[in-house]
Amino acid sequence: MSTVSLGMPALPPRGFGNISETEPFPSYARRELQNGQLRANLRHATHTIRDKRLRVVSELPDWEELREAGSAIKSEAMERLPELLAQFEEQFTARGGTVHWARDAAEANRIVEGLVRATGSSEVVKVKSMATQEIGLNEYLEERGIAAFETDLAELIVQLGHDKPSHILVPAIHRNRTEIRDIFLREMPGVDPELTDEPRRLAMAARAHLRRKFLSAKVAISGANFGIAETGTLGVVESEGNGRMCLTLPETLITVMGIEKVLPRAEDLGVFMQLLPRSSTGERMNPYTSLWTGSTPGDGPKEVHVVLLDNGRTRALADRHGRSALHCIRCSACMNVCPVYERAGGHAYGSTYPGPIGAILSPLLTGVEAEENKSLPYASSLCGACFDACPVKINIPEILVHLRGEDVEARRSRPGARRLPSQFDLAMTGASWAMSDGARMGLLERGLPLGKAAAGRDGVISKLPGLGAGWTQSRDIPAPPAESFRAQWAKREKNSTDPQGIKEGEGK
């Protein structure tokens, strides 16, 4: 058994790796909005997945009950996390596996490197893994002379294109098939120079390229969708069969799993195996589900390791308002319904975790006070579509509002922070004063016609000074009406009263 302390640390460590903005979201998104091809690719892909999901979800009369069950199981897992992780280690070790604990990305990378070097191999094949993307494992290994080959088709496209994933489920969602063909022709060794952009031809080219890797690799690295504490079982769900090849053929299997992926019981899978495929790919059942428990002589890998990764997760767990972000099962349903993601794309978020879930998870892992992630909680219209789509009912809009408040407080408490009120502070104070009294609100509304002076002939305001400039950089504002609703209502009430003071309809 491990002697690692599993209690809640007084100062939880922050996360590091590919979970931070490379530049503020507004500036990156503004640039991406000019890319018409990107927006077309994203619109087509997200709408296709969204429509499939709606069809298969509507088939289940107990869908809302399943969501409630999934949320309850994840809540239980987070409440019992130290206990469940200890139980998982005990069961996994008893069945021939080895458990390693990693506080952060750097420690996880060092552990994996050491395990690979112990085999004498300089190549590994990989199953698609958000955790290894998060810690930057591929880049770390490459710098040290170890080649990591992605075997998921979309991840392979991203890797060969020297790109970064832009979606949790479909990492190459920002690429169309013509772009993929060009990447294969340019980067894939031995590819047919007459390769077309027909999807079947592209898939066959990738299959031929990867087959050699599967048959020669001695080491495989995977993530995990679930870890079952009761039995010490790990699980991976995927759609192409590449995962099954990686998990069974190599002699050594190394899994990197975030500690939040643990579930209490094997029977809990019954809920998530209904929620996950419908929410992610719009399928009733996942094509390939692989479960393994330790190692078995003569069957599968001889050595089985799991690296349990913290990297800011205990920090997120300590946030009582935001901890439910750790319930995420990486289905991407929130991204496929998000109007902001659909237009800005995943790269604008900078993190391995884009979209609505990334806007809350990344700041929670690094700490919202981290300068590099301060704009992510604002990368949302708060429309609530993500909450409605989430299969485990994570209230993303509520957490976004909480993180925005945390960001404001963090900026105010920084050494040297400006003590004078900002334009936003003054605007909110003025709005509070006006809206707290009906007479004041009425007086303010009388000035609405003056707003017409800022509008052009087309009846819209396209440029405002000061605080309003941030809004009008990418949006137009309709000119205010000549009369407010309150004024129109008062006029209606006055006109509906006869000279004797009897309203229409009274006394009939």
Side-chain angles (χ1 to χ4, degrees):
M1 279 292 293
S2 168
T3 57
V4 174
S5 173
L6 298 175
M8 182 69 68
L11 293 172
R14 60 164 293 187
F16 292 94
N18 297 324
I19 50 175
S20 298
E21 295 179 278
T22 53
E23 67 176 279
F25 179 88
S27 60
Y28 204 129
R30 192 176 302 118
R31 187 169 62 252
E32 294 292 83
L33 286 172
Q34 309 306 313
N35 189 337
Q37 184 62 62
L38 171 69
R39 294 179 66 178
N41 294 349
L42 289 171
R43 183 169 56 253
H44 172 74
T46 56
H47 282 232
T48 299
I49 299 171
R50 183 194 310 176
D51 292 344
K52 288 179 62 180
R53 175 190 173 276
L54 286 173
R55 285 196 297 270
V56 296
V57 164
S58 65
E59 297 172 353
L60 295 181
D62 61 343
W63 177 252
E64 290 304 317
E65 287 78 6
L66 281 169
R67 291 180 72 206
E68 288 286 354
S71 177
I73 293 169
K74 294 297 289 186
S75 294
E76 178 191 356
M78 294 305 100
E79 290 169 5
R80 299 174 54 202
L81 189 58
E83 168 199 344
L84 294 177
L85 289 172
Q87 183 183 15
F88 175 85
E89 182 188 32
E90 179 182 10
Q91 295 300 321
F92 192 81
T93 303
R95 289 162 173 78
T98 304
V99 174
H100 309 264
W101 299 84
R103 294 177 181 85
D104 54 29
E107 190 169 5
N109 285 332
R110 288 195 299 269
I111 291 170
V112 174
E113 179 195 3
L115 293 173
V116 175
R117 292 203 183 283
T119 69
S121 179
S122 60
E123 291 186 356
V124 300
V125 290
K126 288 185 72 237
V127 187
K128 178 186 172 189
S129 164
M130 300 298 294
T132 60
Q133 287 282 357
E134 173 189 326
I135 64 177
L137 180 63
N138 287 11
E139 297 84 355
Y140 178 90
L141 294 178
E142 183 179 3
E143 291 172 358
R144 289 155 181 78
I146 300 173
F149 297 98
E150 296 289 351
T151 64
D152 174 85
L153 179 56
E155 288 285 359
L156 176 65
I157 294 165
V158 169
Q159 186 177 45
L160 292 178
H162 308 287
D163 201 352
K164 290 184 177 181
S166 63
H167 191 276
I168 288 177
L169 178 68
V170 193
I173 196 172
H174 56 291
R175 299 288 193 183
N176 60 36
R177 62 189 192 183
T178 301
E179 292 174 308
I180 295 168
R181 179 205 60 192
D182 294 342
I183 291 172
F184 282 10
L185 288 172
R186 185 173 64 248
E187 302 287 343
M188 188 179 285
V191 70
D192 182 357
E194 302 299 320
L195 181 68
T196 69
D197 64 1
E198 180 188 354
R200 181 177 179 276
R201 294 286 303 277
L202 294 172
M204 292 299 291
R207 177 181 292 177
H209 169 72
L210 292 172
R211 180 70 59 171
R212 294 186 292 271
K213 302 299 181 185
F214 288 136
L215 296 177
S216 62
K218 293 183 179 180
V219 183
I221 297 174
S222 82
N225 292 95
F226 308 105
I228 308 301
E230 181 181 53
T231 59
T233 299
L234 292 170
V236 164
V237 296
E238 39 102 10
S239 300
E240 299 170 16
N242 63 299
R244 184 70 55 80
M245 301 283 277
C246 289
L247 297 169
T248 57
L249 292 179
E251 297 175 358
T252 300
L253 174 60
I254 305 167
T255 299
V256 181
M257 183 183 82
I259 56 175
E260 83 282 12
K261 296 294 187 69
V262 69
L263 297 178
R265 300 160 293 271
E267 67 184 34
D268 295 332
L269 282 176
V271 172
F272 293 102
M273 294 313 297
Q274 295 182 76
L275 289 173
L276 182 55
R278 285 178 168 82
S279 297
S280 56
T281 57
E283 296 170 294
R284 299 178 183 87
M285 183 177 180
N286 199 69
Y288 292 90
T289 301
S290 300
L291 302 170
W292 67 100
T293 309
S295 62
T296 302
D299 183 16
K302 297 176 182 178
E303 290 191 28
V304 178
H305 301 264
V306 61
V307 180
L308 297 177
L309 177 69
D310 185 334
N311 203 40
R313 286 158 174 80
T314 51
R315 174 181 282 266
L317 189 64
D319 189 317
R320 63 187 183 90
H321 298 288
R323 66 177 57 167
S324 62
L326 295 176
H327 296 183
C328 176
I329 59 175
R330 310 292 193 266
C331 70
S332 77
C334 64
M335 302 167 63
N336 298 327
V337 298
C338 177
V340 176
Y341 173 85
E342 182 183 317
R343 289 158 179 79
H347 290 155
Y349 297 81
S351 170
T352 293
Y353 306 106
I357 187 62
I360 60 173
L361 185 59
S362 298
L364 286 166
L365 293 177
T366 63
V368 74
E369 71 278 3
E371 186 71 17
E372 62 268 27
N373 272 343
K374 66 178 184 179
S375 75
L376 285 181
Y378 301 92
S380 170
S381 64
L382 299 180
C383 69
C386 50
F387 181 31
D388 292 337
C390 178
V392 289
K393 305 191 74 170
I394 302 172
N395 194 334
I396 295 177
E398 184 177 86
I399 299 175
L400 284 167
V401 172
H402 160 65
L403 291 176
R404 292 178 185 186
E406 291 288 306
D407 174 59
V408 171
E409 292 303 316
R411 282 191 277 117
R412 285 176 174 170
S413 62
R414 287 189 186 116
R418 183 177 61 182
R419 300 303 177 186
L420 293 175
S422 66
Q423 290 184 45
F424 186 79
D425 293 332
L426 293 174
M428 291 298 100
T429 300
S432 175
W433 176 83
M435 294 181 181
S436 62
D437 183 271
R440 296 173 193 163
M441 191 68 182
L443 183 64
L444 184 66
E445 288 173 349
R446 291 179 187 176
L448 278 176
L450 297 176
K452 285 183 171 292
R457 293 182 178 179
D458 56 356
V460 298
I461 301 171
S462 57
K463 191 174 183 180
L464 286 175
L467 185 65
W471 181 270
T472 54
Q473 279 178 349
S474 56
R475 309 170 185 84
D476 291 330
I477 302 176
E483 288 184 305
S484 68
F485 174 80
R486 184 192 298 263
Q488 292 180 45
W489 182 264
K491 185 181 294 185
R492 176 186 180 279
E493 290 293 288
K494 182 178 180 181
N495 292 339
S496 66
T497 306
D498 66 17
Q500 285 73 39
I502 302 175
K503 293 182 178 180
E504 293 178 0
E506 290 186 4
K508 294 182 180 179

